[in-house]
Amino acid sequence: MRTKSGESAVVLVLCCLSLLLLSPIALSEKCNPQDKKVLLKFKKELNNPYFLASWDPHRDCCDWYCVECDIKSHRITALVMKSSFPDTNLSGHIPPSVGDLPYLENLEFHKLPGLTGPIQPTLTKLTKLKYLFIEYTNVSGPIPPFLAQLKNLQILSLSTNNLSGSIPSSLSQLPNLEYILLDRNKLTGPIPESFGSFKKPGPNIDLSHNQLSGSIPASLGQLDPESINLSRNKLEGDASVLFGSKKRTRVLDLSRNLLSFDFSKIDFPKQSLVSLDVNHNKIYGKIPTTLTKVENLQQFNVSYNRLCGEIPQGGTGRLQDRFDEYAYLHNKCLCGSPLPKCK
């Protein structure tokens, strides 16, 4: 026989269960409460954009748009802010609160034109960060030397922003860096000599579409990355240190600079080289016959230089067959197929 007090207890339990079922905040929420608090502050610092409408405080933040959590710890490990639309209604600086996500490994801001201001120093608190992408934004100011404190960083991409000033030499202190992409900004000054001290073989480098000047540091010859793009700058002098038959270089783009060196003395990676572009420079000498032994060359351009002599024939590279006249035009006295015959 059920007592009155027992019936009351049953009713109370049922009422509590029904409230839990109806409540938008379920007991099974995985998101760490502190991480969630930080993200809501982050959203507020960006003026609560519609872009982050899914960031509802009554929902599990591991299910929010742009957010990824670790499957075991449920701590936030990735914040990927990408947009395919020109108007995201997102505006403001990079929120300082992002530095309060201690387990973050991947941070991306991509195609967010309303994102402005400098790179925040609070990023130095993200000691686990492996991937930092700030791309196609209006973030401005210098590249801060403090990024060298992110010792676990593997990819640093600051491509297509309004960054200015010189490249900090301290970036070479990043021991795990595999890619450094600083292209399409307003950077000035020389390539740091310290870049030659990157841990071998060195990161893939893209410094193109800036206003860098001076000579290419001889120390860069000590590195052996698969890709180097220094195009569309104001670099001068000798670039021969970047070449070598034993290197593993696949892509080398030095086009549209003021470089001047004897091309006939260059030796090339015979198996790895896929793309070589040196157009619009002041390179002189002949096209070396060693280039005909490069087996997998798919893109090649030496136009608008000061080269002379006959284009080498034969070999596995097949320079005369594989590339048309536009790869050779506007040199001092180059001749032979696909250009007019030598006199």
Side-chain angles (χ1 to χ4, degrees), residues 27-44:
L27 285 178
S28 60
E29 181 171 351
K30 299 175 181 178
C31 180
N32 179 273
Q34 180 59 29
D35 286 353
K36 187 173 187 177
K37 182 179 178 182
V38 170
L39 285 183
L40 290 172
K41 183 179 180 182
F42 179 96
K43 180 182 178 182
K44 185 177 180 181

Side-chain angles (χ1 to χ4, degrees), residues 45-47 89-95 112-117 138-139:
E45 288 170 344
L46 286 174
N47 302 308
N89 195 33
L90 183 152
S91 63
H93 295 183
I94 297 173
L112 300 172
L115 196 66
T116 59
N138 278 304
V139 167

Side-chain angles (χ1 to χ4, degrees), residues 173-193:
Q173 298 169 17
L174 293 168
N176 298 302
L177 206 60
E178 297 175 5
Y179 290 85
I180 179 167
L181 313 174
L182 310 179
D183 54 296
R184 292 173 171 80
N185 281 288
K186 300 174 181 177
L187 301 176
T188 56
I191 299 172
E193 182 75 32

Side-chain angles (χ1 to χ4, degrees), residues 193-340:
E193 182 75 32
S194 64
F195 270 29
S197 62
F198 273 114
K199 185 178 178 181
K200 310 298 184 290
N204 293 297
I205 298 171
D206 191 345
L207 308 180
S208 65
H209 295 79
N210 279 291
Q211 300 169 31
L212 300 175
S213 58
S215 59
I216 294 174
S219 62
L220 279 190
Q222 302 172 30
L223 303 182
D224 191 17
E226 291 187 352
S227 177
I228 298 179
N229 189 347
L230 306 179
S231 64
R232 294 180 181 269
N233 280 289
K234 300 176 182 178
L235 298 170
E236 302 175 350
D238 191 359
S240 59
V241 294
L242 303 179
F243 296 87
S245 60
K246 296 182 180 180
K247 287 184 177 288
R248 60 172 192 160
T249 311
R250 290 176 53 81
V251 177
L252 182 57
D253 191 345
L254 305 175
S255 62
R256 296 182 180 271
N257 278 287
L258 303 169
L259 298 169
S260 177
F261 57 95
D262 189 345
F263 204 53
S264 62
K265 296 181 179 180
I266 299 298
D267 206 356
F268 304 89
K270 294 180 177 61
Q271 295 182 333
S272 62
L273 191 62
V274 174
S275 177
L276 175 62
D277 193 347
V278 295
N279 80 81
H280 284 83
N281 278 288
K282 299 178 181 180
I283 300 170
Y284 57 90
K286 297 181 178 181
I287 296 178
T289 56
T290 53
L291 197 53
T292 64
K293 299 178 182 180
V294 178
E295 299 175 1
N296 300 306
L297 196 61
Q298 298 174 15
Q299 294 181 326
F300 177 67
N301 195 336
V302 294
S303 64
Y304 290 88
N305 277 290
R306 299 175 181 178
L307 298 172
C308 270
E310 185 174 7
I311 298 170
Q313 302 180 26
T316 54
R318 303 198 321 275
L319 296 180
Q320 294 180 322
D321 303 331
R322 191 174 293 181
F323 308 106
D324 61 23
E325 61 181 317
Y326 294 102
Y328 304 98
L329 287 176
H330 298 282
N331 273 283
K332 186 178 180 180
C333 48
L334 268 185
C335 58
S337 179
L339 296 178

